[in-house]
Amino acid sequence: MKKQKNLTTSVCFFLMTGFMAAQVTKKTDSLEEKKIDDIVIIGYKAQKKSSLTAAISVISDKKLQDSNTPSVSGLLQGKAAGVQILPNGGAAGSSATVKIRGTSTINGPSSALWVVDGVVMPYTPNLDPNQIESINILKDAASTALYGSRAANGIVQVFTKSGNSGKGTLSASLNNSFNVFNNGRFKLMNGTQLYDYFTSLKGAPEIPKTLRNDGYNWLKDGTQTGVVQNYTIDFKGGSDHSKTYISGNYYNETGTIKGDEYNRLSFRINHEQTIKPWLILKPKVSLSYTTGKDTQASLYQMYLNMPWDNPRDANGNLIRVDEDYTDWYGRDKSSYLYDLQWNYGKSNQLDLIGNIDAEILFTDYLKFISTNNVTYKNYDDMYYTDPRSISGTSNKGELTENYQKDISKFFNQMLRFDKDFGNHNINALAAYEYTDRFYKASKAGVYGVVPGTDIFNTGATTGEKPSGTKSDRAYNAFLFNVEYVFNKKYFVQGSLRNESSSAFGANKRNGLFYAYSVGWNIHKENFFKIEPINEWKLRASRGLVGNTPSPNYGWQDLYSLTQKYNGQIGATWYQLGNPGLTWESIYQNNIGTDIRAFNNRLTLNIDYFNNKTKNLLMLVTLPSLTGVDRQYLNIGDVKNKGWEFNVNYSIIRSKDISWDLGFNISTYKNNVLSTRNNGTQVLSNYHVAIPGYDVNSFYMRKWLGVNPDNGEAQWEVINPDGSRSATSKYNLATVQVVGAATPDYYGSVSTNLTIRNFYLATNLYFSQGGQVYNSYRELFDSDGAYPYYNQMVLENGWTRWEKPGDIATHPAAVYNNNSLTNKPSSRYLEDASFVKLRSLRIGYNFPASLTEKMKIKSANIYIMGENLFTITKFSGVDPEVGNADSQSVYSGNAGAIYPIPRRFSLGLNFTF
């Protein structure tokens, strides 16, 4: 790219659904208004930013550099208003769930849809974050309606890097990190504390006084400082007729729990070749190979095993602890360390994303774009149980293997029109799209294996019953969009998608999704005379999008071939079909404003949304006398509304110093409008759907504290006349709505400071309100119900009842307590509010005088900390919980989730 006196650069944006170019004027010491509009890619189309009527957030690659994670989803926390990132734990290589604008469903999927370079992905893609150029978050129907039945939960639109015409550049990124185990405020007792607690239990037997010492620290010996290696090399280059981007990455991480390891090799090549002036080919290939090793220590046992029990004898040898072993206090008589001498698991995953795309230019305003993609994932794992281990005793050892194949195809053939007619501009597209997904899984195992084997046919005597599943789903659609702009002041846009899906019956297979939006650039009016404001836009949109839950065959009668009669296989009616089953419909409304002021130093975005979901799809339990006990039905409605605010301000912008400050905050409320027969629909994980209540409502007994007279627990009873009273009998208490997981608001504060060659970037994330159920306390704060499990240290301010008149938070502790005080109730519901310093990065850009001597183009070095501290009242590991205990949807249940570590990194970047 040649330098010119006016410092004008040509910026090219492309993806499989479009190509466009725009010139922007670069300013060195001010933020004067750009002379022409930026071009943004929204869904299937590209349009000028000034005429944008959709609610979106654009995240550049510079904003994605404050985290060293293998997951793209993990980079997004705090980057955009209206977006929640729910970590799925801190295991090596773990990902996160992205939720946009809260929850608009009950049992359906609530995570965002991913689109990579114009291709709809069937799942969260396994991409190297270093390959990402930018990410768009699409929030409303104006930006998502063209995705139809899968657009209800918003879109994460990813653009990978591209090559450039001219001299090539080679870049290298080297990063090493250390993960430190972080157990939050959750503290377990040592041997001395446990001794004092145990002997205080009413009715407890005597135990030796020699146990009153610190004892064995299971948690310390099962955890470690993990190490991360993250190395990337990429190349950008090309000629007048071609552009090429090549990237390779190696990522290796050992977890903070011993025995947890993750490795990934990633490769990508994006190429663009101009065959003729009117024909461009754009092949892309992304390949990732991931391996995992699991000789993982049991976090669950590390928590519950007692410090009085030492897993090693006096000589340091591991002890075989089973039901016959007597010198052990722990109730379960279990030591995971003994079995880990031999037992292990390992996994392999291959991800391939391939495109062969083309662009044909008929005229300067009409082009044809062909997008053709295959996404392939192959996953396998194996688990080996040694016959010498305790868990392998009954089966004389075991070997199981699981195979999964996931193949998706995506084809989009599109005509695009973009032409100016004086003060008028028309931008339109028409396309046909087809996509399908095939999934197959098989599992098998054998018993009686030879020690050390990892294949089936090595003398195994018997085997477990093989199992498997297979499913497929297909969509096809016609989609249309047209935008009209008059004099860059007024703009109107409409989208239409006619889609059919194999997931529904023939009479309900087709759906029509739409959106329309309007916008007004007030600052371009002659009457607008407010000089501090550079731009002011009003916009509004309305549309219908869909949500397609998981059942591929919910509309059909299904039969299970698992029973035998007289030696013959018989079919059992498993599911009652519903030919009228259809997708969930979400009517979305959005109104917003965008303001740029004070010489473009201030950017303000405000949005209000109000969405209504109809035809909620749920699996309903039927009376068993019908012969089949399950059926999918469309029942119920949900309403979801909220506000989003995003502010960015350039406090200082000079030659040597620049300082930017960013702030975003989001608030939303949802409630169930109706259910089946407007009744109470009990869900899993202590949740319920009741008209008038939050979608994420907790449904359990209400805790009323401790009776100061006798130290007994109390719960609430709602009497037939509506009055309320207290009871000390758990089973007599009324199950009711006692809270909700939905926060009142959440957001982030970020800042970027540059002083000459030094820079600092930080991100502070916060969430206020909502509740989280600390299910760990059922075991570790059990009032004596589990006297032979380790217990948690009481938080400051918590007290135990000891004598009449005590005002306490905890009831009297009784040996083998059977009063059910530790069973599910609002006692263990805690405030989920927190403030977290998500990242802090300090770096130095080497001056040109030094890099020239080093014969490199640029270089920088940095140190970074992540998850540095959390301010919260939550007594567990982390209030920022995702899908704990292998849950498929977010529940607000802080179960056995792997703690997210603190991470400290040192990195170097070079460009040649």
Side-chain angles (χ1 to χ4, degrees):
M1 184 165 59
K2 297 181 179 179
K3 293 183 178 180
Q4 299 179 1
K5 292 182 180 180
N6 62 0
L7 295 179
T8 300
T9 62
S10 177
V11 182
C12 292
F13 304 84
F14 81 88
L15 88 165
M16 302 164 193
T17 57
F19 174 86
M20 66 299 299
Q23 288 189 329
V24 299
T25 302
K26 182 180 178 182
K27 299 295 179 181
T28 59
D29 58 359
S30 69
L31 291 176
E32 295 181 4
E33 185 177 1
K34 293 181 178 180
K35 302 304 179 184
I36 65 171
D37 291 324
D38 288 331
I39 300 295
V40 292
I41 302 173
I42 305 300
Y44 292 85
K45 61 176 297 182
Q47 64 183 115
K48 295 180 177 65
K49 195 172 183 179
S50 64
S51 65
L52 190 62
T53 55
I56 68 164
S57 295
V58 179
I59 305 171
S60 67
D61 61 333
K62 292 182 179 180
K63 295 182 179 180
L64 301 174
Q65 295 175 359
D66 62 351
S67 179
N68 183 31
T69 171
S71 166
V72 178
S73 58
L75 300 175
L76 299 178
Q77 187 185 61
K79 300 298 194 308
V83 180
Q84 279 181 293
I85 307 301
L86 304 173
N88 296 328
S94 61
S95 61
T97 300
V98 180
K99 289 183 67 175
I100 299 174
R101 292 189 165 180
T103 304
S104 296
T105 183
I106 293 180
N107 269 354
S110 60
S111 57
L113 179 70
W114 288 77
V115 177
V116 178
D117 288 338
V119 176
V120 176
M121 305 301 295
Y123 42 77
T124 302
N126 185 17
L127 294 176
D128 170 24
N130 296 286
Q131 300 170 356
I132 306 302
E133 182 71 34
S134 65
I135 295 176
N136 286 351
I137 306 295
L138 314 185
K139 308 175 190 178
D140 67 342
S143 58
T144 65
L146 288 179
Y147 293 97
S149 65
R150 290 166 288 178
N153 302 307
I155 311 291
V156 180
Q157 188 177 21
V158 178
F159 305 104
T160 60
K161 295 177 180 178
S162 59
N164 58 272
S165 298
K167 188 176 180 179
T169 59
L170 182 67
S171 300
S173 173
L174 312 175
N175 181 289
N176 284 87
S177 304
F178 298 95
N179 293 337
V180 179
F181 185 78
N182 177 23
N183 214 38
R185 294 168 59 95
F186 183 60
K187 306 300 179 185
L188 292 164
M189 294 182 179
N190 60 30
T192 301
Q193 294 167 320
L194 188 62
Y195 179 91
D196 293 341
Y197 165 78
F198 188 94
T199 55
S200 72
L201 297 177
K202 184 179 179 180
E206 290 189 8
I207 54 175
K209 292 183 179 179
T210 55
L211 295 178
R212 198 176 188 276
N213 59 74
D214 286 351
Y216 187 81
N217 193 326
W218 288 89
L219 195 61
K220 180 180 179 180
D221 288 357
T223 57
Q224 64 184 2
T225 297
V227 178
V228 179
Q229 301 174 75
N230 190 3
Y231 309 132
T232 301
I233 295 179
D234 59 26
F235 169 82
K236 287 185 176 183
S239 64
D240 293 339
H241 301 289
S242 68
K243 300 175 183 178
T244 302
Y245 169 75
I246 302 174
S247 176
N249 172 264
Y250 172 72
Y251 184 94
N252 172 266
E253 180 178 359
T254 55
T256 55
I257 295 179
K258 291 180 179 179
D260 177 23
E261 187 172 345
Y262 174 89
N263 287 273
R264 186 178 69 189
L265 282 170
S266 301
F267 172 80
R268 171 174 287 274
I269 179 168
N270 292 347
H271 183 69
E272 178 179 329
Q273 183 70 44
T274 302
I275 306 298
K276 297 287 184 180
W278 50 269
L279 176 60
I280 302 173
L281 295 182
K282 300 178 181 180
K284 293 181 175 71
V285 176
S286 173
L287 181 67
S288 295
Y289 179 66
T290 305
T291 62
K293 186 177 181 181
D294 181 9
T295 54
Q296 188 173 314
S298 170
L299 179 64
Y300 180 71
Q301 283 198 37
M302 281 190 278
Y303 284 152
L304 66 82
N305 280 356
M306 307 185 79
W308 303 336
D309 295 323
N310 193 320
R312 293 180 172 84
D313 60 22
N315 297 321
N317 299 316
L318 289 170
I319 300 170
R320 181 184 176 97
V321 182
D322 53 25
E323 294 179 357
D324 298 327
Y325 189 74
T326 57
D327 191 18
W328 196 264
Y329 285 92
R331 192 192 78 165
D332 296 341
K333 288 191 175 182
S334 178
S335 170
Y336 67 86
L337 290 169
Y338 185 82
D339 281 10
L340 282 186
Q341 295 178 99
W342 307 287
N343 299 350
Y344 68 94
K346 61 182 180 180
S347 64
N348 300 275
Q349 180 172 315
L350 178 67
D351 292 271
L352 174 65
I353 304 175
N355 279 65
I356 299 179
D357 305 331
E359 182 177 303
I360 300 175
L361 184 66
F362 297 115
T363 69
D364 58 353
Y365 55 83
L366 181 64
K367 65 179 67 175
F368 172 75
I369 301 157
S370 177
T371 303
N372 309 281
N373 166 270
V374 174
T375 299
Y376 174 83
K377 181 173 77 171
N378 186 288
Y379 172 87
D380 68 83
D381 62 40
M382 61 85 67
Y383 286 90
Y384 167 77
T385 304
D386 194 276
R388 293 165 291 184
S389 67
I390 298 172
S391 55
T393 301
S394 60
N395 293 328
K396 297 183 180 180
E398 181 178 356
L399 180 66
T400 61
E401 294 187 359
N402 173 46
Y403 292 91
Q404 298 177 22
K405 182 186 294 185
D406 200 329
I407 305 173
S408 296
K409 299 188 290 292
F410 179 90
F411 304 98
N412 183 284
Q413 315 305 318
M414 179 167 57
L415 278 173
R416 292 190 51 193
F417 176 90
D418 189 355
K419 186 173 178 60
D420 292 324
F421 301 90
N423 289 330
H424 309 272
N425 173 267
I426 296 178
N427 185 343
L429 66 85
Y432 169 75
E433 183 174 286
Y434 172 84
T435 181
D436 62 29
R437 181 182 183 184
F438 171 81
Y439 175 83
K440 184 177 182 180
S442 302
K443 183 179 179 180
V446 293
Y447 305 139
V449 299
V450 175
T453 187
D454 60 359
I455 57 177
F456 284 160
N457 59 339
T458 53
T461 57
T462 58
E464 69 174 71
K465 185 177 181 180
S467 62
T469 184
K470 183 174 70 172
S471 64
D472 51 19
R473 177 182 290 189
Y475 303 86
N476 62 22
F478 293 93
L479 45 144
F480 309 89
N481 175 273
V482 62
E483 176 193 34
Y484 169 72
V485 180
F486 174 69
N487 203 24
K488 298 184 179 180
K489 292 182 185 179
Y490 317 109
F491 17 94
V492 60
Q493 183 176 197
S495 300
L496 191 67
R497 180 181 177 110
N498 187 4
E499 182 173 13
S500 59
S501 169
S502 64
F504 305 108
N507 296 329
K508 295 291 185 178
R509 186 158 291 170
N510 296 317
L512 189 64
F513 305 95
Y514 63 86
Y516 51 88
S517 57
V518 295
W520 178 25
N521 275 330
I522 303 175
H523 65 282
K524 290 187 175 293
E525 297 289 354
N526 293 330
F527 62 78
F528 190 84
K529 304 296 183 183
I530 306 176
E531 292 186 2
I533 296 180
N534 304 102
E535 297 180 12
W536 186 10
K537 181 200 301 178
L538 294 178
R539 48 184 168 76
S541 67
R542 176 174 172 80
L544 170 64
V545 292
N547 193 20
T548 306
S550 56
N552 292 298
Y553 311 105
W555 61 280
Q556 293 177 300
D557 289 330
L558 296 183
Y559 298 87
S560 176
L561 300 174
T562 58
Q563 305 297 323
K564 287 187 177 181
Y565 177 76
N566 196 27
Q568 300 296 317
I569 295 176
T572 304
W573 202 2
Y574 173 73
Q575 173 183 290
L576 178 62
N578 178 7
L581 195 70
T582 188
W583 34 55
E584 299 178 354
S585 300
I586 296 87
Y587 295 86
Q588 297 185 342
N589 302 278
N590 190 92
I591 184 169
T593 185
D594 305 312
I595 298 174
R596 293 164 65 94
F598 307 117
N599 198 25
N600 289 307
R601 290 182 180 273
L602 174 68
T603 301
L604 173 64
N605 311 101
I606 302 174
D607 280 275
Y608 171 76
F609 64 92
N610 192 325
N611 303 334
K612 182 178 180 180
T613 305
K614 303 183 68 175
N615 298 322
L616 291 171
L617 195 153
M618 296 184 64
L619 180 62
V620 175
T621 301
L622 303 176
S624 58
L625 57 85
T626 62
V628 58
D629 61 359
R630 49 186 283 156
Q631 183 184 32
Y632 282 98
L633 297 174
N634 290 109
I635 52 174
D637 305 317
V638 167
K639 189 174 184 178
N640 189 29
K641 61 183 180 180
W643 289 88
E644 297 168 358
F645 300 87
N646 182 76
V647 182
N648 288 280
Y649 186 68
S650 295
I651 302 172
I652 301 175
R653 184 69 66 185
S654 66
K655 180 179 180 181
D656 295 326
I657 301 177
S658 66
W659 184 16
D660 299 333
L661 182 66
F663 172 77
N664 68 71
I665 187 170
S666 307
T667 176
Y668 67 91
K669 294 182 179 180
N670 63 62
N671 64 284
V672 179
L673 298 179
S674 65
T675 59
R676 187 186 186 193
N677 300 322
N678 281 329
T680 298
Q681 183 73 43
V682 179
L683 309 174
S684 58
N685 299 307
Y686 316 126
H687 282 281
V688 69
I690 302 177
Y693 288 91
D694 192 291
V695 172
N696 293 312
S697 292
F698 288 103
Y699 192 62
M700 54 183 63
R701 291 164 175 83
K702 185 175 182 179
W703 174 260
L704 293 183
V706 179
N707 188 328
D709 296 330
N710 55 23
E712 293 182 349
Q714 299 181 115
W715 298 271
E716 184 174 84
V717 177
I718 302 178
N719 300 305
D721 62 359
S723 62
R724 297 172 186 261
S725 59
T727 180
S728 60
K729 304 297 184 182
Y730 178 84
N731 291 322
L732 297 180
T734 303
V735 180
Q736 58 183 295
V737 174
V738 293
T742 303
D744 297 326
Y745 58 84
Y746 58 90
S748 71
V749 180
S750 61
T751 188
N752 291 274
L753 174 65
T754 301
I755 302 176
R756 292 180 181 253
N757 293 327
F758 293 92
Y759 64 89
L760 179 148
T762 185
N763 181 279
L764 190 75
Y765 187 80
F766 60 87
S767 179
Q768 174 63 42
Q771 294 170 298
V772 58
Y773 185 74
N774 191 354
S775 58
Y776 268 170
R777 290 180 58 190
E778 295 180 12
L779 298 175
F780 306 115
D781 187 16
S782 65
D783 307 322
Y786 297 102
Y788 295 105
Y789 282 168
N790 199 359
Q791 298 292 293
M792 62 185 289
V793 178
L794 297 187
E795 293 283 318
N796 291 333
W798 290 3
T799 55
R800 175 84 59 188
W801 188 92
E802 295 179 354
K803 63 183 183 302
D806 284 351
I807 305 300
T809 58
H810 285 52
V814 179
Y815 181 78
N816 281 334
N817 196 336
N818 61 3
S819 62
L820 307 181
T821 61
N822 67 319
K823 296 306 177 183
S825 75
S826 61
R827 174 188 182 184
Y828 298 145
L829 275 183
E830 300 186 35
D831 185 358
S833 303
F834 67 90
V835 175
K836 179 175 291 188
L837 182 56
R838 183 185 173 276
S839 66
L840 175 64
R841 176 169 170 154
I842 301 173
Y844 177 76
N845 294 312
F846 291 92
S849 58
L850 180 58
T851 57
E852 289 175 359
K853 293 179 181 179
M854 298 169 63
K855 296 184 179 180
I856 59 177
K857 186 177 180 180
S858 64
N860 74 76
I861 185 172
Y862 64 89
I863 57 174
M864 182 168 60
E866 300 175 65
N867 197 32
L868 294 179
F869 67 78
T870 302
I871 301 173
T872 182
K873 295 180 180 179
F874 179 60
S875 66
V877 174
D878 194 335
E880 191 182 19
V881 296
N883 302 345
D885 300 316
S886 301
Q887 299 159 4
S888 60
V889 295
Y890 174 69
S891 69
N893 183 0
I897 194 166
Y898 194 132
I900 302 171
R902 289 189 180 95
R903 179 171 291 184
F904 302 92
S905 304
L906 172 64
L908 293 168
N909 296 314
F910 300 94
T911 301
F912 300 91

